[in-house]
Amino acid sequence: NAGVMQNPRHLVRRRGQEARLRCSPMKGHSHVYWYRQLPEEGLKFMVYLQKENIIDESGMPKERFSAEFPKEGPSILRIQQVVRGDSAAYFCASSPEATKTEAFFGQGTRLTVV
Amino acid sequence: AQSVAQPEDQVNVAEGNPLTVKCTYSVSGNPYLFWYVQYPNRGLQFLLKYITGDNLVKGSYGFEAEFNKSQTSFHLKKPSALVSDSALYFCAVRRSNDYKLSFGAGTTVTVRA
């Protein structure tokens, strides 16, 4: 059973470009979470999705950031018009159920904005 | 609100010595507590969790953690550290009926040969 798969592992974007980060949850997991890790900080919750639904996006910036988890395919975290402050590691996690089990994390995507 | 504090940025120990990584938490209601480890250029790996029951929880790679409700602590321990335990360790907490994890800032563990 493959773990949570994220790609790309590293992504470099110029200021103003768009960044698209992909996450395929573990098999059988329908709950997906995105976290952001800024330098010298712990991970911060961004958004929680189930198939085709955003359940909680309270941790996501109101502008330029969006997330989706379509019926088919991976979850996508999209950042439009990136700025230097978006440089961080973005981690995706999945779980088979929301509150009774632990979440399993992917390897992360390290976004660098130049 | 919920939060986690890892008071030590770095912990250095010699191989074969005991290893302790400290964690204190704040959460309303019953806490679910977790430890994750991040090796260089790799994702977070789940080590262990406390949900309910025995205060001493055993996890992967010989690690264990003790839940102390009165001190609101969940310290990670290993009786005899290995060089391969060198990594970044994160403590996390959430409420029992929630999905949102709050992480500490992490503790870098270095085990010297």
Side-chain angles (χ1 to χ4, degrees):
Chain A
N1 187 3
V4 177
M5 304 300 292
Q6 290 189 249
N7 68 82
R9 293 287 309 282
H10 301 276
L11 182 61
V12 179
R13 284 289 178 266
R14 295 185 186 281
R15 281 177 293 171
Q17 290 185 320
E18 178 180 287
R20 292 172 70 87
L21 288 62
R22 294 175 181 77
C23 168
S24 296
M26 288 180 70
K27 187 176 181 180
H29 290 192
S30 59
H31 302 257
V32 167
Y33 318 84
W34 286 92
Y35 286 79
R36 177 165 64 174
Q37 183 182 26
L38 294 170
E40 309 301 325
E41 294 186 22
L43 282 73
K44 305 285 189 204
F45 170 81
M46 297 181 74
V47 61
Y48 162 37
L49 311 101
Q50 292 184 36
K51 281 288 187 182
E52 300 185 273
N53 291 305
I54 296 175
I55 308 301
D56 180 357
E57 56 183 351
S58 60
M60 205 147 70
K62 295 287 187 285
E63 298 180 352
R64 303 188 297 107
F65 285 71
S66 62
E68 62 178 17
F69 189 16
K71 185 176 181 181
E72 301 291 337
S75 175
I76 305 288
L77 179 67
R78 182 183 178 203
I79 311 172
Q80 294 178 290
Q81 298 175 330
V82 297
V83 301
R84 289 238 170 94
D86 297 332
S87 296
Y90 292 82
F91 287 92
C92 172
S94 73
S95 65
E97 189 279 336
T99 62
K100 292 183 174 58
T101 61
E102 63 271 21
F104 293 88
F105 284 79
Q107 291 184 300
T109 294
R110 185 162 300 278
L111 172 66
T112 302
V113 180
V114 297
Chain B
Q2 57 193 39
S3 64
V4 172
Q6 292 181 242
E8 299 160 317
D9 292 336
Q10 293 198 344
V11 170
N12 299 306
V13 298
E15 189 172 34
N17 282 2
L19 169 64
T20 299
V21 186
K22 296 179 181 176
C23 169
T24 58
Y25 67 90
S26 173
V27 69
S28 58
N30 293 323
Y32 280 13
L33 294 150
F34 304 84
W35 276 100
Y36 288 86
V37 59
Q38 184 178 22
Y39 296 102
N41 299 315
R42 295 174 67 176
L44 273 71
Q45 290 182 228
F46 169 75
L47 271 181
L48 51 78
K49 66 183 177 184
Y50 171 81
I51 302 297
T52 186
D54 194 348
N55 289 344
L56 185 63
V57 178
K58 294 189 183 297
S60 307
Y61 312 121
F63 283 94
E64 59 188 29
E66 185 165 12
F67 170 63
N68 187 316
K69 188 173 183 178
S70 63
Q71 296 185 4
T72 61
S73 67
F74 189 56
H75 301 331
L76 181 70
K77 299 181 181 182
K78 186 169 183 179
S80 179
L82 301 172
V83 172
S84 57
D85 293 327
S86 299
L88 181 57
Y89 291 79
F90 290 101
C91 181
V93 68
R94 62 173 172 84
R95 291 176 300 173
S96 59
N97 60 348
D98 200 357
Y99 46 81
K100 197 181 301 184
L101 287 166
S102 293
F103 283 84
T107 298
T108 299
V109 171
T110 302
V111 182
R112 60 186 184 277

